PDB file of all heavy atoms in Angstrom:
ATOM      1  N   GLN A 203      -7.191 -67.824 -42.036  1.00 87.00           N
ATOM      2  CA  GLN A 203      -7.120 -66.420 -42.441  1.00 87.00           C
ATOM      3  C   GLN A 203      -8.355 -66.049 -43.257  1.00 87.00           C
ATOM      4  O   GLN A 203      -8.926 -66.876 -43.965  1.00 87.00           O
ATOM      5  CB  GLN A 203      -5.859 -66.186 -43.287  1.00 87.00           C
ATOM      6  CG  GLN A 203      -4.564 -66.517 -42.552  1.00 87.00           C
ATOM      7  CD  GLN A 203      -3.383 -66.555 -43.502  1.00 87.00           C
ATOM      8  OE1 GLN A 203      -3.508 -67.014 -44.640  1.00 87.00           O
ATOM      9  NE2 GLN A 203      -2.238 -66.084 -43.033  1.00 87.00           N
ATOM     10  N   GLU A 245     -21.528 -29.527 -60.833  1.00 97.00           N
ATOM     11  CA  GLU A 245     -21.900 -28.762 -62.029  1.00 97.00           C
ATOM     12  C   GLU A 245     -22.238 -29.703 -63.180  1.00 97.00           C
ATOM     13  O   GLU A 245     -23.192 -29.459 -63.943  1.00 97.00           O
ATOM     14  CB  GLU A 245     -20.761 -27.829 -62.427  1.00 97.00           C
ATOM     15  CG  GLU A 245     -20.598 -26.637 -61.485  1.00 97.00           C
ATOM     16  CD  GLU A 245     -19.426 -25.756 -61.865  1.00 97.00           C
ATOM     17  OE1 GLU A 245     -18.624 -26.169 -62.761  1.00 97.00           O
ATOM     18  OE2 GLU A 245     -19.278 -24.666 -61.268  1.00 97.00           O
ATOM     19  N   ARG A 246     -21.488 -30.768 -63.320  1.00 97.00           N
ATOM     20  CA  ARG A 246     -21.741 -31.758 -64.378  1.00 97.00           C
ATOM     21  C   ARG A 246     -23.113 -32.406 -64.212  1.00 97.00           C
ATOM     22  O   ARG A 246     -23.788 -32.712 -65.195  1.00 97.00           O
ATOM     23  CB  ARG A 246     -20.635 -32.812 -64.343  1.00 97.00           C
ATOM     24  CG  ARG A 246     -20.763 -33.923 -65.361  1.00 97.00           C
ATOM     25  CD  ARG A 246     -19.558 -34.842 -65.232  1.00 97.00           C
ATOM     26  NE  ARG A 246     -19.699 -36.033 -66.039  1.00 97.00           N
ATOM     27  CZ  ARG A 246     -18.817 -37.016 -66.049  1.00 97.00           C
ATOM     28  NH1 ARG A 246     -17.705 -36.923 -65.320  1.00 97.00           N
ATOM     29  NH2 ARG A 246     -18.999 -38.084 -66.808  1.00 97.00           N
ATOM     30  N   LEU A 248     -25.604 -30.924 -62.581  1.00 98.00           N
ATOM     31  CA  LEU A 248     -26.583 -29.834 -62.473  1.00 98.00           C
ATOM     32  C   LEU A 248     -27.143 -29.685 -61.052  1.00 98.00           C
ATOM     33  O   LEU A 248     -28.307 -29.347 -60.858  1.00 98.00           O
ATOM     34  CB  LEU A 248     -27.728 -30.036 -63.476  1.00 98.00           C
ATOM     35  CG  LEU A 248     -27.308 -30.253 -64.943  1.00 98.00           C
ATOM     36  CD1 LEU A 248     -28.534 -30.414 -65.831  1.00 98.00           C
ATOM     37  CD2 LEU A 248     -26.444 -29.100 -65.429  1.00 98.00           C
ATOM     38  N   PHE A 258     -37.040 -33.857 -51.907  1.00 96.00           N
ATOM     39  CA  PHE A 258     -36.826 -35.130 -51.213  1.00 96.00           C
ATOM     40  C   PHE A 258     -35.885 -35.013 -50.023  1.00 96.00           C
ATOM     41  O   PHE A 258     -35.684 -35.978 -49.293  1.00 96.00           O
ATOM     42  CB  PHE A 258     -36.288 -36.186 -52.179  1.00 96.00           C
ATOM     43  CG  PHE A 258     -37.317 -36.695 -53.166  1.00 96.00           C
ATOM     44  CD1 PHE A 258     -36.914 -37.300 -54.357  1.00 96.00           C
ATOM     45  CD2 PHE A 258     -38.668 -36.599 -52.905  1.00 96.00           C
ATOM     46  CE1 PHE A 258     -37.850 -37.780 -55.267  1.00 96.00           C
ATOM     47  CE2 PHE A 258     -39.613 -37.071 -53.805  1.00 96.00           C
ATOM     48  CZ  PHE A 258     -39.210 -37.657 -54.988  1.00 96.00           C
ATOM     49  N   ARG A 263     -35.202 -33.419 -41.269  1.00 90.00           N
ATOM     50  CA  ARG A 263     -33.933 -32.915 -40.714  1.00 90.00           C
ATOM     51  C   ARG A 263     -32.866 -32.911 -41.802  1.00 90.00           C
ATOM     52  O   ARG A 263     -32.727 -33.863 -42.556  1.00 90.00           O
ATOM     53  CB  ARG A 263     -33.470 -33.799 -39.564  1.00 90.00           C
ATOM     54  CG  ARG A 263     -34.322 -33.709 -38.323  1.00 90.00           C
ATOM     55  CD  ARG A 263     -33.716 -34.548 -37.210  1.00 90.00           C
ATOM     56  NE  ARG A 263     -32.381 -34.095 -36.827  1.00 90.00           N
ATOM     57  CZ  ARG A 263     -31.647 -34.669 -35.892  1.00 90.00           C
ATOM     58  NH1 ARG A 263     -32.109 -35.723 -35.244  1.00 90.00           N
ATOM     59  NH2 ARG A 263     -30.456 -34.204 -35.597  1.00 90.00           N
ATOM     60  N   GLY A 286     -11.729 -50.382 -55.035  1.00 94.00           N
ATOM     61  CA  GLY A 286     -11.346 -50.540 -56.444  1.00 94.00           C
ATOM     62  C   GLY A 286     -12.321 -49.910 -57.411  1.00 94.00           C
ATOM     63  O   GLY A 286     -12.301 -50.220 -58.608  1.00 94.00           O
ATOM     64  N   ALA A 351     -53.877 -52.825 -74.888  1.00 73.00           N
ATOM     65  CA  ALA A 351     -55.245 -53.278 -74.667  1.00 73.00           C
ATOM     66  C   ALA A 351     -55.563 -54.324 -75.736  1.00 73.00           C
ATOM     67  O   ALA A 351     -55.843 -53.988 -76.886  1.00 73.00           O
ATOM     68  CB  ALA A 351     -56.225 -52.115 -74.750  1.00 73.00           C
ATOM     69  N   GLN A 363     -52.238 -37.021 -59.368  1.00 89.00           N
ATOM     70  CA  GLN A 363     -51.848 -37.951 -58.310  1.00 89.00           C
ATOM     71  C   GLN A 363     -51.162 -39.185 -58.873  1.00 89.00           C
ATOM     72  O   GLN A 363     -50.161 -39.657 -58.327  1.00 89.00           O
ATOM     73  CB  GLN A 363     -53.068 -38.370 -57.491  1.00 89.00           C
ATOM     74  CG  GLN A 363     -52.711 -39.290 -56.322  1.00 89.00           C
ATOM     75  CD  GLN A 363     -53.926 -39.803 -55.582  1.00 89.00           C
ATOM     76  OE1 GLN A 363     -55.005 -39.920 -56.168  1.00 89.00           O
ATOM     77  NE2 GLN A 363     -53.773 -40.101 -54.300  1.00 89.00           N
ATOM     78  N   GLN A 364     -51.676 -39.725 -59.989  1.00 89.00           N
ATOM     79  CA  GLN A 364     -51.062 -40.906 -60.601  1.00 89.00           C
ATOM     80  C   GLN A 364     -49.633 -40.624 -61.040  1.00 89.00           C
ATOM     81  O   GLN A 364     -48.736 -41.454 -60.847  1.00 89.00           O
ATOM     82  CB  GLN A 364     -51.898 -41.369 -61.793  1.00 89.00           C
ATOM     83  CG  GLN A 364     -53.206 -42.038 -61.430  1.00 89.00           C
ATOM     84  CD  GLN A 364     -54.043 -42.359 -62.646  1.00 89.00           C
ATOM     85  OE1 GLN A 364     -54.061 -41.608 -63.639  1.00 89.00           O
ATOM     86  NE2 GLN A 364     -54.758 -43.478 -62.603  1.00 89.00           N
ATOM     87  N   ARG A 379     -31.893 -49.977 -57.225  1.00 96.00           N
ATOM     88  CA  ARG A 379     -31.061 -50.632 -58.246  1.00 96.00           C
ATOM     89  C   ARG A 379     -29.612 -50.154 -58.173  1.00 96.00           C
ATOM     90  O   ARG A 379     -28.685 -50.936 -58.367  1.00 96.00           O
ATOM     91  CB  ARG A 379     -31.656 -50.381 -59.630  1.00 96.00           C
ATOM     92  CG  ARG A 379     -32.942 -51.177 -59.868  1.00 96.00           C
ATOM     93  CD  ARG A 379     -33.587 -50.866 -61.210  1.00 96.00           C
ATOM     94  NE  ARG A 379     -34.792 -51.692 -61.378  1.00 96.00           N
ATOM     95  CZ  ARG A 379     -35.003 -52.533 -62.376  1.00 96.00           C
ATOM     96  NH1 ARG A 379     -34.089 -52.677 -63.330  1.00 96.00           N
ATOM     97  NH2 ARG A 379     -36.114 -53.232 -62.455  1.00 96.00           N
ATOM     98  N   ARG A 394     -12.897 -64.215 -53.453  1.00 75.00           N
ATOM     99  CA  ARG A 394     -11.595 -64.879 -53.549  1.00 75.00           C
ATOM    100  C   ARG A 394     -11.842 -66.375 -53.803  1.00 75.00           C
ATOM    101  O   ARG A 394     -11.940 -67.160 -52.861  1.00 75.00           O
ATOM    102  CB  ARG A 394     -10.787 -64.704 -52.260  1.00 75.00           C
ATOM    103  CG  ARG A 394     -10.418 -63.273 -51.956  1.00 75.00           C
ATOM    104  CD  ARG A 394      -9.369 -62.737 -52.931  1.00 75.00           C
ATOM    105  NE  ARG A 394      -8.959 -61.396 -52.583  1.00 75.00           N
ATOM    106  CZ  ARG A 394      -9.544 -60.292 -53.017  1.00 75.00           C
ATOM    107  NH1 ARG A 394     -10.587 -60.389 -53.825  1.00 75.00           N
ATOM    108  NH2 ARG A 394      -9.112 -59.100 -52.661  1.00 75.00           N
ATOM    109  N   SER A 417     -46.681 -48.567 -40.209  1.00 91.00           N
ATOM    110  CA  SER A 417     -47.291 -48.797 -41.517  1.00 91.00           C
ATOM    111  C   SER A 417     -46.782 -50.109 -42.118  1.00 91.00           C
ATOM    112  O   SER A 417     -46.311 -51.002 -41.415  1.00 91.00           O
ATOM    113  CB  SER A 417     -46.992 -47.612 -42.440  1.00 91.00           C
ATOM    114  OG  SER A 417     -47.738 -47.691 -43.638  1.00 91.00           O
ATOM    115  N   ILE A 456     -38.305 -78.957 -21.110  1.00 73.00           N
ATOM    116  CA  ILE A 456     -38.902 -77.696 -20.664  1.00 73.00           C
ATOM    117  C   ILE A 456     -39.653 -77.062 -21.827  1.00 73.00           C
ATOM    118  O   ILE A 456     -39.104 -76.881 -22.911  1.00 73.00           O
ATOM    119  CB  ILE A 456     -37.825 -76.723 -20.151  1.00 73.00           C
ATOM    120  CG1 ILE A 456     -37.056 -77.346 -18.988  1.00 73.00           C
ATOM    121  CG2 ILE A 456     -38.450 -75.392 -19.738  1.00 73.00           C
ATOM    122  CD1 ILE A 456     -35.861 -76.521 -18.542  1.00 73.00           C
ATOM    123  N   ILE A 469     -50.039 -63.436 -40.549  1.00 96.00           N
ATOM    124  CA  ILE A 469     -49.431 -62.519 -41.514  1.00 96.00           C
ATOM    125  C   ILE A 469     -49.253 -63.163 -42.889  1.00 96.00           C
ATOM    126  O   ILE A 469     -49.572 -62.551 -43.909  1.00 96.00           O
ATOM    127  CB  ILE A 469     -48.073 -62.011 -40.986  1.00 96.00           C
ATOM    128  CG1 ILE A 469     -48.285 -61.232 -39.684  1.00 96.00           C
ATOM    129  CG2 ILE A 469     -47.373 -61.132 -42.023  1.00 96.00           C
ATOM    130  CD1 ILE A 469     -47.011 -60.856 -38.966  1.00 96.00           C
ATOM    131  N   PRO A 474     -56.904 -69.852 -44.175  1.00 83.00           N
ATOM    132  CA  PRO A 474     -57.503 -68.628 -44.723  1.00 83.00           C
ATOM    133  C   PRO A 474     -56.434 -67.568 -44.958  1.00 83.00           C
ATOM    134  O   PRO A 474     -55.395 -67.594 -44.283  1.00 83.00           O
ATOM    135  CB  PRO A 474     -58.480 -68.201 -43.630  1.00 83.00           C
ATOM    136  CG  PRO A 474     -57.891 -68.754 -42.361  1.00 83.00           C
ATOM    137  CD  PRO A 474     -57.265 -70.067 -42.764  1.00 83.00           C
ATOM    138  N   PRO A 488     -60.243 -53.990 -59.139  1.00 86.00           N
ATOM    139  CA  PRO A 488     -60.291 -52.659 -59.769  1.00 86.00           C
ATOM    140  C   PRO A 488     -60.766 -51.535 -58.851  1.00 86.00           C
ATOM    141  O   PRO A 488     -60.317 -50.411 -58.972  1.00 86.00           O
ATOM    142  CB  PRO A 488     -61.263 -52.863 -60.945  1.00 86.00           C
ATOM    143  CG  PRO A 488     -62.030 -54.100 -60.629  1.00 86.00           C
ATOM    144  CD  PRO A 488     -61.102 -54.966 -59.830  1.00 86.00           C
ATOM    145  N   ASP A 541     -46.392 -50.349 -55.726  1.00 71.00           N
ATOM    146  CA  ASP A 541     -45.158 -49.643 -56.087  1.00 71.00           C
ATOM    147  C   ASP A 541     -45.070 -49.529 -57.602  1.00 71.00           C
ATOM    148  O   ASP A 541     -44.137 -50.049 -58.225  1.00 71.00           O
ATOM    149  CB  ASP A 541     -43.945 -50.397 -55.532  1.00 71.00           C
ATOM    150  CG  ASP A 541     -42.767 -49.454 -55.291  1.00 71.00           C
ATOM    151  OD1 ASP A 541     -42.998 -48.241 -55.204  1.00 71.00           O
ATOM    152  OD2 ASP A 541     -41.630 -49.940 -55.193  1.00 71.00           O
ATOM    153  N   LEU A 543     -44.387 -49.043 -61.286  1.00 86.00           N
ATOM    154  CA  LEU A 543     -43.389 -48.482 -62.186  1.00 86.00           C
ATOM    155  C   LEU A 543     -44.018 -48.236 -63.555  1.00 86.00           C
ATOM    156  O   LEU A 543     -44.713 -49.103 -64.090  1.00 86.00           O
ATOM    157  CB  LEU A 543     -42.194 -49.423 -62.341  1.00 86.00           C
ATOM    158  CG  LEU A 543     -41.136 -49.400 -61.243  1.00 86.00           C
ATOM    159  CD1 LEU A 543     -40.036 -50.390 -61.555  1.00 86.00           C
ATOM    160  CD2 LEU A 543     -40.547 -48.007 -61.077  1.00 86.00           C
ATOM    161  N   SER A 555     -28.520 -43.089 -73.077  1.00 97.00           N
ATOM    162  CA  SER A 555     -27.182 -42.891 -73.654  1.00 97.00           C
ATOM    163  C   SER A 555     -26.092 -42.984 -72.590  1.00 97.00           C
ATOM    164  O   SER A 555     -24.905 -43.038 -72.924  1.00 97.00           O
ATOM    165  CB  SER A 555     -27.110 -41.522 -74.352  1.00 97.00           C
ATOM    166  OG  SER A 555     -27.347 -40.476 -73.416  1.00 97.00           O
ATOM    167  N   ALA A 572     -35.105 -61.118 -70.506  1.00 42.00           N
ATOM    168  CA  ALA A 572     -35.011 -61.594 -69.120  1.00 42.00           C
ATOM    169  C   ALA A 572     -34.496 -60.486 -68.236  1.00 42.00           C
ATOM    170  O   ALA A 572     -33.848 -59.559 -68.688  1.00 42.00           O
ATOM    171  CB  ALA A 572     -34.079 -62.802 -69.035  1.00 42.00           C
ATOM    172  N   ARG A 594     -43.167 -59.840 -69.112  1.00 41.00           N
ATOM    173  CA  ARG A 594     -43.323 -58.463 -69.521  1.00 41.00           C
ATOM    174  C   ARG A 594     -44.764 -58.002 -69.409  1.00 41.00           C
ATOM    175  O   ARG A 594     -45.681 -58.702 -69.784  1.00 41.00           O
ATOM    176  CB  ARG A 594     -42.834 -58.283 -70.967  1.00 41.00           C
ATOM    177  CG  ARG A 594     -41.367 -58.605 -71.179  1.00 41.00           C
ATOM    178  CD  ARG A 594     -40.491 -57.926 -70.115  1.00 41.00           C
ATOM    179  NE  ARG A 594     -40.717 -56.504 -70.101  1.00 41.00           N
ATOM    180  CZ  ARG A 594     -39.954 -55.628 -70.746  1.00 41.00           C
ATOM    181  NH1 ARG A 594     -38.911 -56.031 -71.427  1.00 41.00           N
ATOM    182  NH2 ARG A 594     -40.205 -54.332 -70.697  1.00 41.00           N
TER     183      ARG A 594
END
Side-chain angles (χ1 to χ4, degrees):
Q203 300 168 322
E245 287 178 351
R246 179 177 172 183
L248 307 181
F258 288 159
R263 291 184 61 181
Q363 183 185 27
Q364 287 175 325
R379 288 176 179 238
R394 296 290 184 271
S417 189
I456 301 173
I469 298 172
D541 207 19
L543 279 180
S555 61
R594 299 312 304 264

